[in-house]
Amino acid sequence: MATHNETIYDDLKNTLYNNADSALIGEAAGYGIGLVMLGSSDERAIEEMMSHAQDSKHEKIIRSISISLAMIMYGKEDSADTLIEQMVRSKDSIMRYGAMFTIGCAYAGTSNNQAVEKLLHYAVSDVSDDVKRAALTNLGFLLFRK
């Protein structure tokens, strides 16, 4: 976890790409990538994960990738904003769901006012109940020190 080990990342990525038929294997590989790359903000990993999420037809894989992206941005605060904006503008509610977790992970414990405002905005305005729920859940991640 959080080793940023490129060899392990590549093995997990290959598992994700080469098991397109199995949502379960792809889901596990997606979460594994997030755990290995935790807090790395690795641009290559982000680009590859975003691309694969757009190509995938399995909701479980898309969800694991969106949460993986959140883990990759853990603790990165403002440098996560570009990815967050890209995710919240997605037509796919699962990617917007992941965007809420990306805000929560990037700003965990900071009580950042802009991040709180974003989460509150999506908690009341998104069309997906899952995104609304994720926004409210992630308020706890932002405010856990208060």
Side-chain angles (χ1 to χ4, degrees):
M1 186 169 160
T3 62
H4 310 166
N5 185 307
E6 293 292 324
T7 304
I8 296 171
Y9 166 76
D10 287 334
D11 287 345
L12 288 167
K13 181 182 72 172
N14 290 334
T15 301
L16 177 65
Y17 289 179
N18 294 328
N19 290 287
D21 299 345
S22 174
L24 189 59
I25 294 170
E27 180 183 26
Y31 287 125
I33 288 169
L35 290 169
V36 169
M37 301 303 282
L38 181 75
S40 70
S41 70
D42 186 286
E43 288 184 31
R44 182 187 96 170
I46 292 167
E47 187 177 311
E48 290 172 347
M49 295 297 97
M50 288 294 288
S51 176
H52 192 70
Q54 291 168 353
D55 295 340
S56 181
K57 295 176 180 81
H58 295 290
E59 287 184 10
K60 287 182 177 186
I61 292 174
I62 298 168
R63 187 175 317 280
S64 72
I65 288 172
S66 70
I67 299 300
S68 178
L69 289 166
M71 288 189 263
I72 289 170
M73 294 312 256
Y74 176 76
K76 297 303 177 186
E77 297 185 27
D78 293 338
S79 63
D81 288 345
T82 303
L83 176 62
I84 292 166
E85 283 303 312
Q86 187 177 358
M87 292 174 77
V88 296
R89 292 175 194 251
S90 176
K91 292 178 183 175
D92 187 345
S93 64
I94 299 171
M95 288 304 288
R96 295 194 313 274
Y97 170 91
M100 301 305 110
F101 280 92
T102 304
I103 295 168
C105 284
Y107 291 94
T110 65
S111 301
N112 180 286
N113 285 335
Q114 290 175 328
V116 169
E117 285 177 20
K118 278 183 190 177
L119 289 172
L120 289 173
H121 169 74
Y122 290 106
V124 297
S125 68
D126 201 275
V127 296
S128 168
D129 286 342
D130 287 340
V131 174
K132 290 177 180 180
R133 202 172 297 112
L136 292 173
T137 299
N138 280 282
L139 278 172
F141 291 145
L142 262 65
L143 303 172
F144 76 83
R145 289 196 173 123
K146 288 212 170 197

mmCIF file of all heavy atoms in Angstrom, residues 18-68:
data_model
loop_
_atom_site.group_PDB
_atom_site.id
_atom_site.type_symbol
_atom_site.label_atom_id
_atom_site.label_comp_id
_atom_site.label_asym_id
_atom_site.label_seq_id
_atom_site.Cartn_x
_atom_site.Cartn_y
_atom_site.Cartn_z
ATOM 1 N N ASN A 18 -6.625 -7.131 -19.313
ATOM 2 C CA ASN A 18 -6.710 -8.446 -19.946
ATOM 3 C C ASN A 18 -7.859 -9.309 -19.434
ATOM 4 O O ASN A 18 -8.020 -10.441 -19.873
ATOM 5 C CB ASN A 18 -5.388 -9.198 -19.781
ATOM 6 C CG ASN A 18 -4.264 -8.509 -20.536
ATOM 7 O OD1 ASN A 18 -4.482 -7.901 -21.571
ATOM 8 N ND2 ASN A 18 -3.067 -8.571 -19.986
ATOM 9 N N ASN A 19 -8.646 -8.803 -18.526
ATOM 10 C CA ASN A 19 -9.783 -9.556 -17.992
ATOM 11 C C ASN A 19 -11.074 -8.769 -18.182
ATOM 12 O O ASN A 19 -11.882 -8.649 -17.265
ATOM 13 C CB ASN A 19 -9.557 -9.891 -16.511
ATOM 14 C CG ASN A 19 -8.476 -10.918 -16.331
ATOM 15 O OD1 ASN A 19 -8.680 -12.090 -16.623
ATOM 16 N ND2 ASN A 19 -7.311 -10.476 -15.893
ATOM 17 N N ALA A 20 -11.262 -8.260 -19.396
ATOM 18 C CA ALA A 20 -12.431 -7.431 -19.699
ATOM 19 C C ALA A 20 -13.737 -8.199 -19.528
ATOM 20 O O ALA A 20 -14.783 -7.603 -19.305
ATOM 21 C CB ALA A 20 -12.329 -6.882 -21.114
ATOM 22 N N ASP A 21 -13.679 -9.524 -19.596
ATOM 23 C CA ASP A 21 -14.882 -10.336 -19.454
ATOM 24 C C ASP A 21 -15.314 -10.478 -17.999
ATOM 25 O O ASP A 21 -16.481 -10.720 -17.716
ATOM 26 C CB ASP A 21 -14.649 -11.741 -20.015
ATOM 27 C CG ASP A 21 -14.321 -11.709 -21.497
ATOM 28 O OD1 ASP A 21 -14.552 -10.666 -22.128
ATOM 29 O OD2 ASP A 21 -13.831 -12.726 -22.005
ATOM 30 N N SER A 22 -14.386 -10.337 -17.078
ATOM 31 C CA SER A 22 -14.692 -10.563 -15.663
ATOM 32 C C SER A 22 -14.719 -9.246 -14.891
ATOM 33 O O SER A 22 -13.675 -8.649 -14.620
ATOM 34 C CB SER A 22 -13.653 -11.495 -15.040
ATOM 35 O OG SER A 22 -13.884 -11.599 -13.658
ATOM 36 N N ALA A 23 -15.923 -8.832 -14.531
ATOM 37 C CA ALA A 23 -16.062 -7.601 -13.753
ATOM 38 C C ALA A 23 -15.428 -7.749 -12.376
ATOM 39 O O ALA A 23 -14.863 -6.792 -11.836
ATOM 40 C CB ALA A 23 -17.526 -7.222 -13.624
ATOM 41 N N LEU A 24 -15.479 -8.949 -11.820
ATOM 42 C CA LEU A 24 -14.942 -9.176 -10.478
ATOM 43 C C LEU A 24 -13.420 -9.018 -10.444
ATOM 44 O O LEU A 24 -12.877 -8.329 -9.569
ATOM 45 C CB LEU A 24 -15.338 -10.566 -9.989
ATOM 46 C CG LEU A 24 -15.044 -10.873 -8.533
ATOM 47 C CD1 LEU A 24 -15.762 -9.900 -7.612
ATOM 48 C CD2 LEU A 24 -15.464 -12.296 -8.215
ATOM 49 N N ILE A 25 -12.739 -9.618 -11.408
ATOM 50 C CA ILE A 25 -11.277 -9.493 -11.475
ATOM 51 C C ILE A 25 -10.887 -8.054 -11.766
ATOM 52 O O ILE A 25 -9.971 -7.502 -11.148
ATOM 53 C CB ILE A 25 -10.694 -10.462 -12.517
ATOM 54 C CG1 ILE A 25 -10.912 -11.911 -12.073
ATOM 55 C CG2 ILE A 25 -9.208 -10.184 -12.757
ATOM 56 C CD1 ILE A 25 -10.580 -12.944 -13.133
ATOM 57 N N GLY A 26 -11.593 -7.414 -12.697
ATOM 58 C CA GLY A 26 -11.314 -6.015 -13.030
ATOM 59 C C GLY A 26 -11.541 -5.092 -11.856
ATOM 60 O O GLY A 26 -10.777 -4.156 -11.619
ATOM 61 N N GLU A 27 -12.587 -5.367 -11.103
ATOM 62 C CA GLU A 27 -12.884 -4.558 -9.920
ATOM 63 C C GLU A 27 -11.753 -4.671 -8.902
ATOM 64 O O GLU A 27 -11.274 -3.660 -8.363
ATOM 65 C CB GLU A 27 -14.200 -5.018 -9.301
ATOM 66 C CG GLU A 27 -14.611 -4.239 -8.063
ATOM 67 C CD GLU A 27 -15.892 -4.771 -7.440
ATOM 68 O OE1 GLU A 27 -16.208 -5.962 -7.609
ATOM 69 O OE2 GLU A 27 -16.570 -3.974 -6.769
ATOM 70 N N ALA A 28 -11.307 -5.883 -8.642
ATOM 71 C CA ALA A 28 -10.221 -6.099 -7.680
ATOM 72 C C ALA A 28 -8.941 -5.412 -8.142
ATOM 73 O O ALA A 28 -8.245 -4.774 -7.342
ATOM 74 C CB ALA A 28 -9.987 -7.595 -7.486
ATOM 75 N N ALA A 29 -8.627 -5.524 -9.424
ATOM 76 C CA ALA A 29 -7.424 -4.873 -9.959
ATOM 77 C C ALA A 29 -7.536 -3.352 -9.836
ATOM 78 O O ALA A 29 -6.561 -2.677 -9.501
ATOM 79 C CB ALA A 29 -7.198 -5.283 -11.414
ATOM 80 N N GLY A 30 -8.731 -2.820 -10.096
ATOM 81 C CA GLY A 30 -8.939 -1.373 -9.983
ATOM 82 C C GLY A 30 -8.680 -0.869 -8.574
ATOM 83 O O GLY A 30 -7.961 0.119 -8.370
ATOM 84 N N TYR A 31 -9.242 -1.556 -7.579
ATOM 85 C CA TYR A 31 -8.993 -1.149 -6.191
ATOM 86 C C TYR A 31 -7.524 -1.339 -5.823
ATOM 87 O O TYR A 31 -6.954 -0.522 -5.102
ATOM 88 C CB TYR A 31 -9.884 -1.935 -5.224
ATOM 89 C CG TYR A 31 -11.336 -1.515 -5.255
ATOM 90 C CD1 TYR A 31 -12.339 -2.454 -5.482
ATOM 91 C CD2 TYR A 31 -11.709 -0.190 -5.048
ATOM 92 C CE1 TYR A 31 -13.680 -2.077 -5.503
ATOM 93 C CE2 TYR A 31 -13.042 0.189 -5.071
ATOM 94 C CZ TYR A 31 -14.020 -0.759 -5.299
ATOM 95 O OH TYR A 31 -15.339 -0.376 -5.322
ATOM 96 N N GLY A 32 -6.924 -2.406 -6.314
ATOM 97 C CA GLY A 32 -5.508 -2.655 -6.040
ATOM 98 C C GLY A 32 -4.620 -1.534 -6.545
ATOM 99 O O GLY A 32 -3.675 -1.118 -5.865
ATOM 100 N N ILE A 33 -4.936 -1.036 -7.726
ATOM 101 C CA ILE A 33 -4.158 0.074 -8.286
ATOM 102 C C ILE A 33 -4.234 1.285 -7.359
ATOM 103 O O ILE A 33 -3.231 1.938 -7.078
ATOM 104 C CB ILE A 33 -4.647 0.419 -9.705
ATOM 105 C CG1 ILE A 33 -4.223 -0.681 -10.688
ATOM 106 C CG2 ILE A 33 -4.127 1.786 -10.158
ATOM 107 C CD1 ILE A 33 -4.861 -0.577 -12.055
ATOM 108 N N GLY A 34 -5.428 1.586 -6.891
ATOM 109 C CA GLY A 34 -5.586 2.724 -5.981
ATOM 110 C C GLY A 34 -4.787 2.561 -4.703
ATOM 111 O O GLY A 34 -4.171 3.504 -4.211
ATOM 112 N N LEU A 35 -4.781 1.350 -4.166
ATOM 113 C CA LEU A 35 -4.040 1.106 -2.925
ATOM 114 C C LEU A 35 -2.538 1.206 -3.131
ATOM 115 O O LEU A 35 -1.828 1.778 -2.307
ATOM 116 C CB LEU A 35 -4.414 -0.264 -2.361
ATOM 117 C CG LEU A 35 -5.841 -0.360 -1.812
ATOM 118 C CD1 LEU A 35 -6.208 -1.806 -1.536
ATOM 119 C CD2 LEU A 35 -5.987 0.493 -0.570
ATOM 120 N N VAL A 36 -2.038 0.669 -4.234
ATOM 121 C CA VAL A 36 -0.595 0.729 -4.509
ATOM 122 C C VAL A 36 -0.158 2.165 -4.795
ATOM 123 O O VAL A 36 0.887 2.605 -4.335
ATOM 124 C CB VAL A 36 -0.220 -0.202 -5.692
ATOM 125 C CG1 VAL A 36 1.202 0.047 -6.159
ATOM 126 C CG2 VAL A 36 -0.396 -1.658 -5.293
ATOM 127 N N MET A 37 -0.986 2.909 -5.523
ATOM 128 C CA MET A 37 -0.614 4.266 -5.945
ATOM 129 C C MET A 37 -1.158 5.353 -5.010
ATOM 130 O O MET A 37 -1.137 6.534 -5.343
ATOM 131 C CB MET A 37 -1.116 4.502 -7.375
ATOM 132 C CG MET A 37 -0.565 3.515 -8.393
ATOM 133 S SD MET A 37 1.236 3.458 -8.467
ATOM 134 C CE MET A 37 1.557 4.934 -9.412
ATOM 135 N N LEU A 38 -1.611 4.962 -3.816
ATOM 136 C CA LEU A 38 -2.198 5.888 -2.849
ATOM 137 C C LEU A 38 -1.326 7.134 -2.655
ATOM 138 O O LEU A 38 -0.146 7.037 -2.329
ATOM 139 C CB LEU A 38 -2.375 5.184 -1.497
ATOM 140 C CG LEU A 38 -3.008 5.997 -0.380
ATOM 141 C CD1 LEU A 38 -4.502 6.124 -0.618
ATOM 142 C CD2 LEU A 38 -2.745 5.338 0.957
ATOM 143 N N GLY A 39 -1.928 8.298 -2.898
ATOM 144 C CA GLY A 39 -1.240 9.568 -2.663
ATOM 145 C C GLY A 39 -0.158 9.930 -3.658
ATOM 146 O O GLY A 39 0.564 10.897 -3.449
ATOM 147 N N SER A 40 -0.045 9.207 -4.751
ATOM 148 C CA SER A 40 1.051 9.455 -5.697
ATOM 149 C C SER A 40 0.767 10.576 -6.684
ATOM 150 O O SER A 40 1.690 11.176 -7.209
ATOM 151 C CB SER A 40 1.372 8.188 -6.494
ATOM 152 O OG SER A 40 0.318 7.883 -7.404
ATOM 153 N N SER A 41 -0.492 10.838 -6.971
ATOM 154 C CA SER A 41 -0.941 11.759 -8.028
ATOM 155 C C SER A 41 -0.208 11.503 -9.347
ATOM 156 O O SER A 41 0.064 12.421 -10.112
ATOM 157 C CB SER A 41 -0.839 13.228 -7.601
ATOM 158 O OG SER A 41 0.490 13.659 -7.491
ATOM 159 N N ASP A 42 0.072 10.242 -9.620
ATOM 160 C CA ASP A 42 0.793 9.824 -10.829
ATOM 161 C C ASP A 42 -0.052 10.115 -12.071
ATOM 162 O O ASP A 42 -1.118 9.541 -12.262
ATOM 163 C CB ASP A 42 1.105 8.330 -10.727
ATOM 164 C CG ASP A 42 1.977 7.839 -11.855
ATOM 165 O OD1 ASP A 42 1.457 7.705 -12.981
ATOM 166 O OD2 ASP A 42 3.170 7.576 -11.612
ATOM 167 N N GLU A 43 0.444 11.017 -12.917
ATOM 168 C CA GLU A 43 -0.313 11.450 -14.095
ATOM 169 C C GLU A 43 -0.552 10.313 -15.084
ATOM 170 O O GLU A 43 -1.627 10.226 -15.690
ATOM 171 C CB GLU A 43 0.396 12.617 -14.777
ATOM 172 C CG GLU A 43 0.297 13.896 -13.974
ATOM 173 C CD GLU A 43 0.918 15.079 -14.687
ATOM 174 O OE1 GLU A 43 0.898 15.098 -15.940
ATOM 175 O OE2 GLU A 43 1.410 15.974 -13.990
ATOM 176 N N ARG A 44 0.439 9.457 -15.263
ATOM 177 C CA ARG A 44 0.280 8.333 -16.187
ATOM 178 C C ARG A 44 -0.838 7.410 -15.710
ATOM 179 O O ARG A 44 -1.711 7.007 -16.482
ATOM 180 C CB ARG A 44 1.589 7.547 -16.320
ATOM 181 C CG ARG A 44 1.493 6.404 -17.312
ATOM 182 C CD ARG A 44 2.738 5.567 -17.289
ATOM 183 N NE ARG A 44 2.461 4.441 -16.385
ATOM 184 C CZ ARG A 44 3.240 3.399 -16.253
ATOM 185 N NH1 ARG A 44 4.373 3.326 -16.902
ATOM 186 N NH2 ARG A 44 2.913 2.421 -15.440
ATOM 187 N N ALA A 45 -0.845 7.094 -14.428
ATOM 188 C CA ALA A 45 -1.878 6.219 -13.871
ATOM 189 C C ALA A 45 -3.255 6.868 -14.002
ATOM 190 O O ALA A 45 -4.222 6.198 -14.379
ATOM 191 C CB ALA A 45 -1.566 5.901 -12.412
ATOM 192 N N ILE A 46 -3.343 8.150 -13.736
ATOM 193 C CA ILE A 46 -4.613 8.861 -13.839
ATOM 194 C C ILE A 46 -5.131 8.820 -15.269
ATOM 195 O O ILE A 46 -6.302 8.496 -15.516
ATOM 196 C CB ILE A 46 -4.470 10.312 -13.340
ATOM 197 C CG1 ILE A 46 -4.214 10.325 -11.835
ATOM 198 C CG2 ILE A 46 -5.702 11.142 -13.700
ATOM 199 C CD1 ILE A 46 -3.756 11.662 -11.297
ATOM 200 N N GLU A 47 -4.265 9.124 -16.202
ATOM 201 C CA GLU A 47 -4.665 9.128 -17.618
ATOM 202 C C GLU A 47 -5.111 7.743 -18.074
ATOM 203 O O GLU A 47 -6.147 7.597 -18.732
ATOM 204 C CB GLU A 47 -3.484 9.610 -18.471
ATOM 205 C CG GLU A 47 -3.819 9.805 -19.924
ATOM 206 C CD GLU A 47 -2.652 10.361 -20.714
ATOM 207 O OE1 GLU A 47 -2.061 11.366 -20.258
ATOM 208 O OE2 GLU A 47 -2.329 9.780 -21.760
ATOM 209 N N GLU A 48 -4.362 6.718 -17.682
ATOM 210 C CA GLU A 48 -4.708 5.354 -18.082
ATOM 211 C C GLU A 48 -6.013 4.901 -17.432
ATOM 212 O O GLU A 48 -6.841 4.252 -18.078
ATOM 213 C CB GLU A 48 -3.566 4.398 -17.737
ATOM 214 C CG GLU A 48 -2.351 4.597 -18.601
ATOM 215 C CD GLU A 48 -1.138 3.798 -18.162
ATOM 216 O OE1 GLU A 48 -1.127 3.248 -17.043
ATOM 217 O OE2 GLU A 48 -0.179 3.735 -18.963
ATOM 218 N N MET A 49 -6.216 5.254 -16.175
ATOM 219 C CA MET A 49 -7.442 4.853 -15.487
ATOM 220 C C MET A 49 -8.665 5.580 -16.066
ATOM 221 O O MET A 49 -9.728 4.965 -16.252
ATOM 222 C CB MET A 49 -7.347 5.133 -13.983
ATOM 223 C CG MET A 49 -6.290 4.314 -13.258
ATOM 224 S SD MET A 49 -6.597 2.540 -13.289
ATOM 225 C CE MET A 49 -5.566 2.028 -14.648
ATOM 226 N N MET A 50 -8.529 6.860 -16.342
ATOM 227 C CA MET A 50 -9.641 7.609 -16.939
ATOM 228 C C MET A 50 -10.005 7.025 -18.301
ATOM 229 O O MET A 50 -11.188 6.848 -18.611
ATOM 230 C CB MET A 50 -9.279 9.096 -17.077
ATOM 231 C CG MET A 50 -9.240 9.851 -15.779
ATOM 232 S SD MET A 50 -10.848 10.009 -14.981
ATOM 233 C CE MET A 50 -11.655 11.177 -16.046
ATOM 234 N N SER A 51 -9.007 6.709 -19.091
ATOM 235 C CA SER A 51 -9.244 6.132 -20.412
ATOM 236 C C SER A 51 -9.951 4.784 -20.302
ATOM 237 O O SER A 51 -10.914 4.508 -21.023
ATOM 238 C CB SER A 51 -7.923 5.992 -21.153
ATOM 239 O OG SER A 51 -8.119 5.352 -22.384
ATOM 240 N N HIS A 52 -9.490 3.948 -19.390
ATOM 241 C CA HIS A 52 -10.090 2.624 -19.246
ATOM 242 C C HIS A 52 -11.523 2.716 -18.710
ATOM 243 O O HIS A 52 -12.394 1.944 -19.126
ATOM 244 C CB HIS A 52 -9.242 1.722 -18.351
ATOM 245 C CG HIS A 52 -9.671 0.290 -18.409
ATOM 246 N ND1 HIS A 52 -9.479 -0.490 -19.519
ATOM 247 C CD2 HIS A 52 -10.333 -0.486 -17.518
ATOM 248 C CE1 HIS A 52 -9.983 -1.697 -19.308
ATOM 249 N NE2 HIS A 52 -10.508 -1.710 -18.098
ATOM 250 N N ALA A 53 -11.780 3.652 -17.819
ATOM 251 C CA ALA A 53 -13.133 3.830 -17.288
ATOM 252 C C ALA A 53 -14.105 4.212 -18.405
ATOM 253 O O ALA A 53 -15.244 3.747 -18.434
ATOM 254 C CB ALA A 53 -13.136 4.881 -16.186
ATOM 255 N N GLN A 54 -13.644 5.035 -19.329
ATOM 256 C CA GLN A 54 -14.496 5.442 -20.450
ATOM 257 C C GLN A 54 -14.768 4.286 -21.402
ATOM 258 O O GLN A 54 -15.828 4.214 -22.018
ATOM 259 C CB GLN A 54 -13.860 6.612 -21.205
ATOM 260 C CG GLN A 54 -13.846 7.883 -20.401
ATOM 261 C CD GLN A 54 -12.968 8.964 -21.004
ATOM 262 O OE1 GLN A 54 -12.253 8.740 -21.967
ATOM 263 N NE2 GLN A 54 -13.024 10.150 -20.422
ATOM 264 N N ASP A 55 -13.822 3.355 -21.502
ATOM 265 C CA ASP A 55 -13.966 2.222 -22.421
ATOM 266 C C ASP A 55 -14.718 1.040 -21.812
ATOM 267 O O ASP A 55 -15.235 0.198 -22.541
ATOM 268 C CB ASP A 55 -12.582 1.733 -22.879
ATOM 269 C CG ASP A 55 -11.845 2.778 -23.699
ATOM 270 O OD1 ASP A 55 -12.503 3.693 -24.230
ATOM 271 O OD2 ASP A 55 -10.609 2.669 -23.806
ATOM 272 N N SER A 56 -14.774 0.969 -20.508
ATOM 273 C CA SER A 56 -15.355 -0.193 -19.833
ATOM 274 C C SER A 56 -16.884 -0.161 -19.862
ATOM 275 O O SER A 56 -17.503 0.898 -19.795
ATOM 276 C CB SER A 56 -14.883 -0.265 -18.379
ATOM 277 O OG SER A 56 -15.428 -1.408 -17.762
ATOM 278 N N LYS A 57 -17.458 -1.339 -19.926
ATOM 279 C CA LYS A 57 -18.909 -1.473 -19.899
ATOM 280 C C LYS A 57 -19.403 -1.985 -18.546
ATOM 281 O O LYS A 57 -20.595 -2.044 -18.304
ATOM 282 C CB LYS A 57 -19.353 -2.427 -20.997
ATOM 283 C CG LYS A 57 -19.079 -1.905 -22.391
ATOM 284 C CD LYS A 57 -19.456 -2.936 -23.442
ATOM 285 C CE LYS A 57 -19.189 -2.431 -24.832
ATOM 286 N NZ LYS A 57 -17.825 -2.546 -25.256
ATOM 287 N N HIS A 58 -18.492 -2.367 -17.664
ATOM 288 C CA HIS A 58 -18.843 -2.936 -16.370
ATOM 289 C C HIS A 58 -18.901 -1.851 -15.301
ATOM 290 O O HIS A 58 -17.907 -1.174 -15.035
ATOM 291 C CB HIS A 58 -17.820 -3.996 -15.937
ATOM 292 C CG HIS A 58 -17.790 -5.202 -16.822
ATOM 293 N ND1 HIS A 58 -18.812 -6.121 -16.872
ATOM 294 C CD2 HIS A 58 -16.851 -5.638 -17.691
ATOM 295 C CE1 HIS A 58 -18.499 -7.069 -17.727
ATOM 296 N NE2 HIS A 58 -17.326 -6.800 -18.244
ATOM 297 N N GLU A 59 -20.043 -1.709 -14.651
ATOM 298 C CA GLU A 59 -20.193 -0.706 -13.603
ATOM 299 C C GLU A 59 -19.228 -0.943 -12.446
ATOM 300 O O GLU A 59 -18.705 0.010 -11.871
ATOM 301 C CB GLU A 59 -21.625 -0.688 -13.080
ATOM 302 C CG GLU A 59 -22.610 -0.083 -14.046
ATOM 303 C CD GLU A 59 -24.011 0.022 -13.471
ATOM 304 O OE1 GLU A 59 -24.190 -0.189 -12.253
ATOM 305 O OE2 GLU A 59 -24.927 0.339 -14.251
ATOM 306 N N LYS A 60 -19.004 -2.200 -12.098
ATOM 307 C CA LYS A 60 -18.094 -2.507 -10.992
ATOM 308 C C LYS A 60 -16.677 -2.024 -11.297
ATOM 309 O O LYS A 60 -15.982 -1.511 -10.421
ATOM 310 C CB LYS A 60 -18.066 -4.012 -10.711
ATOM 311 C CG LYS A 60 -19.299 -4.530 -10.045
ATOM 312 C CD LYS A 60 -19.179 -6.009 -9.764
ATOM 313 C CE LYS A 60 -20.396 -6.506 -9.034
ATOM 314 N NZ LYS A 60 -20.262 -7.892 -8.612
ATOM 315 N N ILE A 61 -16.248 -2.198 -12.534
ATOM 316 C CA ILE A 61 -14.897 -1.755 -12.922
ATOM 317 C C ILE A 61 -14.829 -0.232 -12.914
ATOM 318 O O ILE A 61 -13.875 0.351 -12.389
ATOM 319 C CB ILE A 61 -14.500 -2.338 -14.293
ATOM 320 C CG1 ILE A 61 -14.326 -3.863 -14.180
ATOM 321 C CG2 ILE A 61 -13.232 -1.670 -14.823
ATOM 322 C CD1 ILE A 61 -14.073 -4.567 -15.492
ATOM 323 N N ILE A 62 -15.837 0.416 -13.462
ATOM 324 C CA ILE A 62 -15.846 1.891 -13.483
ATOM 325 C C ILE A 62 -15.835 2.429 -12.055
ATOM 326 O O ILE A 62 -15.098 3.361 -11.736
ATOM 327 C CB ILE A 62 -17.060 2.418 -14.273
ATOM 328 C CG1 ILE A 62 -16.982 1.966 -15.732
ATOM 329 C CG2 ILE A 62 -17.139 3.940 -14.179
ATOM 330 C CD1 ILE A 62 -18.252 2.188 -16.526
ATOM 331 N N ARG A 63 -16.625 1.828 -11.171
ATOM 332 C CA ARG A 63 -16.668 2.278 -9.773
ATOM 333 C C ARG A 63 -15.310 2.083 -9.100
ATOM 334 O O ARG A 63 -14.814 2.960 -8.401
ATOM 335 C CB ARG A 63 -17.753 1.529 -8.994
ATOM 336 C CG ARG A 63 -17.959 2.081 -7.594
ATOM 337 C CD ARG A 63 -19.115 1.426 -6.846
ATOM 338 N NE ARG A 63 -20.312 1.210 -7.635
ATOM 339 C CZ ARG A 63 -21.233 2.139 -7.919
ATOM 340 N NH1 ARG A 63 -21.082 3.362 -7.454
ATOM 341 N NH2 ARG A 63 -22.286 1.849 -8.648
ATOM 342 N N SER A 64 -14.677 0.932 -9.322
ATOM 343 C CA SER A 64 -13.370 0.699 -8.686
ATOM 344 C C SER A 64 -12.318 1.658 -9.226
ATOM 345 O O SER A 64 -11.463 2.120 -8.475
ATOM 346 C CB SER A 64 -12.925 -0.755 -8.856
ATOM 347 O OG SER A 64 -12.531 -1.039 -10.181
ATOM 348 N N ILE A 65 -12.401 1.977 -10.502
ATOM 349 C CA ILE A 65 -11.455 2.937 -11.080
ATOM 350 C C ILE A 65 -11.702 4.328 -10.502
ATOM 351 O O ILE A 65 -10.750 5.046 -10.169
ATOM 352 C CB ILE A 65 -11.545 2.936 -12.619
ATOM 353 C CG1 ILE A 65 -10.937 1.646 -13.175
ATOM 354 C CG2 ILE A 65 -10.861 4.163 -13.209
ATOM 355 C CD1 ILE A 65 -11.145 1.448 -14.661
ATOM 356 N N SER A 66 -12.966 4.719 -10.361
ATOM 357 C CA SER A 66 -13.242 6.065 -9.831
ATOM 358 C C SER A 66 -12.771 6.187 -8.379
ATOM 359 O O SER A 66 -12.231 7.226 -7.980
ATOM 360 C CB SER A 66 -14.727 6.411 -9.967
ATOM 361 O OG SER A 66 -15.529 5.661 -9.095
ATOM 362 N N ILE A 67 -12.918 5.131 -7.603
ATOM 363 C CA ILE A 67 -12.414 5.145 -6.219
ATOM 364 C C ILE A 67 -10.893 5.071 -6.215
ATOM 365 O O ILE A 67 -10.224 5.703 -5.391
ATOM 366 C CB ILE A 67 -13.042 4.000 -5.396
ATOM 367 C CG1 ILE A 67 -14.566 4.157 -5.317
ATOM 368 C CG2 ILE A 67 -12.434 3.934 -3.991
ATOM 369 C CD1 ILE A 67 -15.047 5.446 -4.679
ATOM 370 N N SER A 68 -10.328 4.334 -7.148
ATOM 371 C CA SER A 68 -8.874 4.258 -7.287
ATOM 372 C C SER A 68 -8.295 5.641 -7.577
ATOM 373 O O SER A 68 -7.266 6.033 -7.019
ATOM 374 C CB SER A 68 -8.517 3.279 -8.415
ATOM 375 O OG SER A 68 -7.133 3.217 -8.617
#
